[in-house]
Amino acid sequence: MPFRNRYTGLINKYHDRLPLADDARVISLGEGGTPLIRLNNIPRALGRDVDLYVKFEGLNPTGSFKDRGMTVAVSQAVSEGSKALICASTGNTSASAAAYAARAGITAFVLIPDGKIAMGKLAQAIMHGATVLQIRGNFDDGMRIVKELADEAPVSIVNSVNPYRLQGQKTAAFEIVEELERVPDYHCLPVGNAGNITAHWIGYSELALGPHDEATAACAFCAGHCRYQCGLVRERPRMVGFQSRGAAPFLRGEPVAEPETVATAIRIGNPQSWEYAWAASRESGGWFDELGDDEILDAQRMLAGHEGVFCEPASAASLAGAMRDIRSGRIEQGSTVVCTLTGHGLKDPDVAQRYSAEAVSTVDADTAAVKKAILGRLD
């Protein structure tokens, strides 16, 4: 007898809110349900009265938020009879597409920038059996090729230009409201291709403006537990997007031809969700801003060292930007702030290893030597 309360992925949980046929074959790895972690030590260090949370999407099955969109996109592709997927990727999309293609029993083709992908992500795509093509160009070149190929080859694109991707990713907003039992005042995200900030705004908008009667005691979505999810309250958060200074087209007002940043997941110069992301920013009263790579890496280390949460560099852009705006007062005292951490730190171990030399001490295999080293650190 199956366990009735076993979590089986976001499609089964939110099916009524997703544009899939009732009889669609669900391709799932148990994605979604990621923790919303309240930070304790960082707000104290900032000296500001804010309620600061991180939504740790790095705990999805392949280690990034991409799984939310991929489960819906691949389920739809399989329903349409697709036998192959294709994507351009800086790493996380390729890992997710490869895993879900393997789960579905179909082929995945991934285009990655030559020498511009974290090894942890490349290893995932390879192990999941994808055909990996390194192109002599950047992500934007790969995206152009993928879009052109879609008209000439029998493959389904699973980049965020696929609307089913954004439909899956919007469910993160549902989970945040469920856990907080309210809408946050600010939601901060890293911005690369800009699909995720768009998807979150779709989710928050559906929750706040949903067509439910106030007299209705319950609905299939929330079972009556959360009035926000029935559209009875109109609040939506301010959406705040952060980019690396070397890959900040939203701050330049135009595409960046040669984007460069240590945060490889957001090393994108021509975002595919450009107009939608601008609309989310304008409608929410939010903003875009840019950060130096040093600020991003400092936030990554601070989060890991002070809160025990290890995210990849691109993820830390959301927290780095939030901390800067909290210090400056742009984000007001008393605010509730959620920062999306898009991927796990083990996605990009190369960056962490750069600091290993100073973090690791070598001592003799002797109790006295080890004791001396320990006491020296405690003094």
Side-chain angles (χ1 to χ4, degrees), residues 22-42:
D22 289 342
D23 60 351
R25 177 187 165 201
V26 175
I27 310 301
S28 175
L29 290 167
E31 60 293 310
T34 56
L36 183 68
I37 303 169
R38 189 173 190 269
L39 303 187
N40 298 320
N41 300 317
I42 288 178

Side-chain angles (χ1 to χ4, degrees), residues 174-231:
F174 298 170
E175 292 178 6
I176 289 165
V177 174
E178 287 171 6
E179 293 193 56
L180 288 179
E181 297 187 340
R182 57 158 295 182
V183 175
D185 299 303
Y186 296 88
H187 191 132
C188 302
L189 299 99
V191 174
N193 217 23
N196 213 21
I197 191 170
T198 302
H200 278 77
W201 187 240
I202 292 170
Y204 284 124
S205 296
E206 287 187 9
L207 297 184
L209 307 175
H212 290 87
D213 188 332
E214 289 190 16
T216 301
C219 70
F221 178 62
C222 71
H225 295 307
C226 181
R227 62 197 182 101
Y228 290 87
Q229 294 169 330
C230 292

Side-chain angles (χ1 to χ4, degrees), residues 274-360:
W274 178 277
E275 294 297 335
Y276 295 125
W278 273 119
S281 178
R282 286 193 303 268
E283 290 175 18
S284 71
W287 59 85
F288 292 105
D289 209 340
E290 60 187 316
L291 301 152
D293 280 357
D294 55 342
E295 293 177 275
I296 293 172
L297 294 178
D298 286 347
Q300 182 195 27
R301 291 195 295 274
M302 188 174 187
L303 182 63
H306 288 72
E307 301 284 0
V309 179
F310 183 29
C311 68
E312 68 172 312
S315 298
S318 61
L319 180 61
M323 290 194 298
R324 189 171 69 185
D325 288 346
I326 290 168
R327 289 191 190 101
S328 72
R330 193 174 192 183
I331 293 177
E332 305 91 346
Q333 294 259 29
S335 297
T336 298
V337 183
V338 172
C339 297
T340 294
L341 304 180
T342 48
H344 199 286
L346 293 177
K347 286 279 195 172
D348 196 348
D350 297 345
V351 172
Q353 287 172 357
R354 295 177 194 175
Y355 306 99
S356 63
E358 61 189 56
V360 178

Side-chain angles (χ1 to χ4, degrees), residues 25 27 78 83 99-107:
R25 177 187 165 201
I27 310 301
V78 169
K83 301 299 182 184
Y100 282 82
R103 182 73 166 170
I106 61 178
T107 302

Side-chain angles (χ1 to χ4, degrees), residues 32-276:
T34 56
L36 183 68
I37 303 169
R38 189 173 190 269
L39 303 187
N40 298 320
N41 300 317
I42 288 178
R44 193 177 301 123
L46 294 174
R48 296 290 191 274
D49 177 22
V50 292
D51 213 13
L52 184 58
Y53 295 83
V54 291
K55 179 67 167 166
F56 194 16
E57 291 289 88
L59 295 185
N60 274 298
T62 75
S64 86
F65 77 97
K66 304 288 186 176
D67 296 344
R68 286 187 185 273
M70 205 60 68
T71 183
V72 180
V74 176
S75 294
Q76 178 63 20
V78 169
S79 294
E80 294 173 353
S82 180
K83 301 299 182 184
L85 312 176
I86 191 168
C87 67
S89 180
T90 57
N92 282 330
T93 300
S94 67
S96 186
Y100 282 82
R103 182 73 166 170
I106 61 178
T107 302
F109 297 96
V110 301
L111 275 62
I112 62 172
D114 187 12
K116 299 290 186 179
I117 181 172
M119 291 307 298
K121 302 171 187 180
L122 178 58
Q124 286 180 285
I126 292 170
M127 290 300 293
H128 290 309
T131 297
V132 180
L133 303 172
Q134 285 196 124
I135 60 170
R136 297 185 182 92
N138 59 28
F139 168 84
D140 300 306
D141 295 318
M143 195 68 242
R144 171 181 53 79
I145 294 168
V146 163
K147 290 166 73 175
E148 292 171 356
L149 273 176
D151 297 327
E152 302 176 12
V155 292
S156 295
I157 297 180
V158 289
N159 283 101
S160 58
V161 294
N162 182 327
Y164 290 91
R165 275 277 310 276
L166 301 188
Q167 287 294 306
Q169 288 165 215
K170 75 182 182 184
T171 61
F174 298 170
E175 292 178 6
I176 289 165
V177 174
E178 287 171 6
E179 293 193 56
L180 288 179
E181 297 187 340
R182 57 158 295 182
V183 175
D185 299 303
Y186 296 88
H187 191 132
C188 302
L189 299 99
V191 174
N193 217 23
N196 213 21
I197 191 170
T198 302
H200 278 77
W201 187 240
I202 292 170
Y204 284 124
S205 296
E206 287 187 9
L207 297 184
L209 307 175
H212 290 87
D213 188 332
E214 289 190 16
T216 301
C219 70
F221 178 62
C222 71
H225 295 307
C226 181
R227 62 197 182 101
Y228 290 87
Q229 294 169 330
C230 292
L232 303 184
V233 176
R234 303 300 182 189
E235 293 93 343
R236 291 180 288 178
R238 293 188 181 187
M239 305 300 293
V240 185
F242 293 101
Q243 300 198 288
S244 172
R245 190 162 293 127
F250 284 98
L251 280 301
R252 306 292 170 264
E254 61 183 5
V256 174
E258 297 293 337
E260 188 55 56
T261 173
V262 70
T264 57
I266 55 174
R267 188 189 278 146
I268 296 171
N270 187 19
Q272 297 299 301
S273 295
W274 178 277
E275 294 297 335
Y276 295 125

